[in-house]
Amino acid sequence: MSALRISALLAISCFLLLGCQRSNGSFVCHFGVPGGDAYAVADIVAKHIEKNYSFANRTSADRTHSGKIYYVAPGCVPSFTFYEIVEPNDIRVVEELARQSLPLAGIDRVSLVFYEKQNWVATSLNGGGHRGHENAIKRVTVEK
């Protein structure tokens, strides 16, 4: 019976390790839901970019769906979506800020997507809706 338990524990351990991969300098499990550490890492990058680049007031931009704003999706590779940052020089500045934030966050890369503007299609009076087609200006993975 002891050998059976050891075999079962070994099988479970192997399953869990197969669900993990080495990404961005640490072991990150891929079970569909980012953990608190993924949010913390994405927040470090976001704060560095926001501290050094001028964005629109978030409350106003979220309400009107216009203005220079970003959204972040944590994960194995944090993903940032930027709206209304379309000038090549501004894009280069944000890319460089993202690159500078990598050692601060202890990661190797982030994904950035720049869109011309938000295309929010309201489907209800209380603000609900969905995004229509949005024109991507640039997609880039910034690495150390």
Side-chain angles (χ1 to χ4, degrees), residues 16-30 76-77 109:
L16 290 175
L17 287 175
L18 289 174
C20 296
Q21 78 176 29
R22 187 154 175 86
S23 177
N24 261 335
S26 64
F27 281 102
V28 180
C29 291
H30 298 275
C76 295
V77 177
R109 63 186 160 277

Side-chain angles (χ1 to χ4, degrees), residues 45 98-110 142-144:
V45 175
R99 186 171 286 104
Q100 292 171 6
S101 72
L102 296 177
L104 300 172
I107 57 175
D108 296 331
R109 63 186 160 277
V110 295
V142 174
E143 300 182 273
K144 283 184 177 177

Side-chain angles (χ1 to χ4, degrees), residues 25-46:
S26 64
F27 281 102
V28 180
C29 291
H30 298 275
F31 293 109
V33 179
D37 57 338
Y39 282 93
V41 166
D43 190 52
I44 291 169
V45 175

Side-chain angles (χ1 to χ4, degrees), residues 42-129:
D43 190 52
I44 291 169
V45 175
K47 283 183 178 175
H48 180 74
I49 294 171
E50 191 168 358
K51 180 177 130 184
N52 295 288
Y53 188 85
S54 181
F55 288 96
N57 176 284
R58 183 163 289 279
T59 303
S60 174
D62 280 340
R63 189 178 62 254
T64 62
H65 305 289
S66 66
K68 291 182 180 182
I69 191 167
Y70 72 91
Y71 299 99
V72 60
C76 295
V77 177
S79 175
F80 288 80
T81 303
F82 297 93
Y83 289 99
E84 297 190 28
I85 299 175
V86 296
E87 296 299 322
N89 190 48
D90 287 342
I91 291 172
R92 278 192 295 276
V93 167
V94 171
E95 286 179 34
E96 182 56 33
L97 290 171
R99 186 171 286 104
Q100 292 171 6
S101 72
L102 296 177
L104 300 172
I107 57 175
D108 296 331
R109 63 186 160 277
V110 295
S111 173
L112 310 176
V113 182
F114 297 88
Y115 286 99
E116 183 179 0
K117 63 181 181 174
Q118 294 188 63
N119 183 13
W120 184 256
V121 181
T123 56
S124 69
L125 294 176
N126 65 359

